[in-house]
Amino acid sequence: MIDSNSLEVVSTIPLGKRPRGIHASPDGKTIYVALSGSPPAPPGVDESTLPPPDRSADGIGVFDVAANKLVRVMKAGPDPENFDVGHDGKTLYVSNEDASGVSFIDVAAGQLTKTIKTGDEPEGVTVTPDGKLVYSTAEADGTVSVIDPVAGKLLKTFKVGRRPRNVVFMPFGKRAYVNAENDGAIYLLDTEKNEMMQKIPLGTPGEIKPMGLALSTDAAKLYVTTGRGHKVFVVDTATNQPVGSFEVGQRPWGLALSPDGKTLYTANGPSNDVSVVDLATQKVTKKIKTTGGPWGVLVLK
């Protein structure tokens, strides 16, 4: 936990194995964190040499903000990596990489109620701005799946770029962006037709690896972390062209903006720190030391 005024770590709370995706409940009183017993498998690692997964460690941790502690872990299918929270706070939609699906978690009951099959190796999960649909990326297939959560069925799966990670929607939901890690690009999506509209190259594939996405408070700019590219790119959402970039640290992944939209935070795993960026100058003003390879950042308003 980082105090946003002093920009100092004020506490470190144990959660479980391999915490990754992190989101808050609509009222901000609860933080949910995806936990996984699957061992990390970075690029180039022979997965046959890794230890077997500890499925008892899989779940969604429920953290009480006022009590400052983990209060329970909800079962959420194998290897949960990322998820989103329904707008009413009653359901979590969780990507299960090893099960090739998105699981529905009833928060009150703390139970998995159903799993919808998607593409292979699902990653990012995002609820549309109107709350009516759920989008999930699939890394191995290079696809985005569209799910109707009320009907509990898959509506459509369509191709995007190679190794898509996340989806972020423009405020009215008719357009969205998805990053394609292995293409060094992001893609503009038409979410009425559910098809890809435009490729927006950011850099050389393999050097620039788009990971996290976040819109500015006015949705005029899209910020994109690039992993081993060390940078955050800025895309103008009116022209859909990159208009700048700035270095933030080693392998930036998750990112978040302050409520006033003036500060950007990035989680830099290998260097165990969080970068604080003044967006007016696009300069890192501080790197906050952490531990454990930070993956995501959440700002509570």
Side-chain angles (χ1 to χ4, degrees), residues 139-163:
E139 297 176 46
D141 289 358
T143 60
V144 171
S145 294
V146 185
I147 296 168
D148 181 335
V150 175
K153 66 179 183 180
L154 179 68
L155 299 180
K156 184 176 182 179
T157 296
F158 60 99
K159 281 282 187 181
V160 289
R162 294 182 298 161
R163 205 167 172 81

Side-chain angles (χ1 to χ4, degrees), residues 1 4 23-25 27-31 63 65 259 298-301:
M1 294 182 64
S4 59
H23 298 279
S25 60
D27 61 11
K29 295 180 179 179
T30 304
I31 296 173
F63 180 83
V65 174
L298 171 70
V299 178
L300 282 186
K301 299 179 181 180

Side-chain angles (χ1 to χ4, degrees), residues 39-230:
V45 169
D46 181 357
E47 294 191 21
S48 67
T49 65
L50 296 174
D54 175 9
R55 288 291 169 240
S56 68
D58 291 345
I60 301 294
V62 181
F63 180 83
D64 185 308
V65 174
N68 198 33
K69 67 178 182 179
L70 184 74
V71 293
R72 61 177 170 141
V73 176
M74 301 184 292
K75 291 301 180 184
D79 191 24
E81 179 166 356
N82 216 333
F83 62 96
D84 203 0
V85 183
H87 293 344
D88 61 6
K90 295 179 180 179
T91 308
L92 305 185
Y93 304 98
V94 182
S95 61
N96 297 121
E97 185 169 338
D98 290 354
S100 299
V102 170
S103 294
F104 292 31
I105 312 301
D106 182 316
V107 172
Q111 294 181 347
L112 190 159
T113 59
K114 68 182 71 176
T115 299
I116 306 297
K117 289 293 183 180
T118 61
D120 196 18
E121 295 185 23
E123 168 91 5
V125 183
T126 310
V127 178
T128 55
D130 62 9
K132 293 181 178 179
L133 298 173
V134 176
Y135 282 61
S136 174
T137 63
E139 297 176 46
D141 289 358
T143 60
V144 171
S145 294
V146 185
I147 296 168
D148 181 335
V150 175
K153 66 179 183 180
L154 179 68
L155 299 180
K156 184 176 182 179
T157 296
F158 60 99
K159 281 282 187 181
V160 289
R162 294 182 298 161
R163 205 167 172 81
R165 290 284 190 173
N166 296 286
V167 177
V168 64
F169 290 90
M170 291 293 283
F172 295 107
K174 295 181 179 180
R175 298 287 185 271
Y177 296 92
V178 60
N179 51 337
E181 178 188 349
N182 287 357
D183 288 347
I186 59 174
Y187 290 84
L188 178 65
L189 308 181
D190 181 328
T191 53
E192 293 181 302
K193 297 179 180 178
N194 284 320
E195 60 186 34
M196 187 171 65
M197 291 178 63
Q198 179 183 347
K199 179 180 180 180
I200 306 169
L202 298 183
T204 303
E207 295 179 8
I208 298 300
K209 299 175 77 68
M211 295 292 186
L213 304 172
L215 282 168
S216 60
T217 51
D218 60 2
K221 295 182 176 65
L222 175 69
Y223 298 101
V224 187
T225 58
T226 58
R228 68 182 64 175
H230 293 192

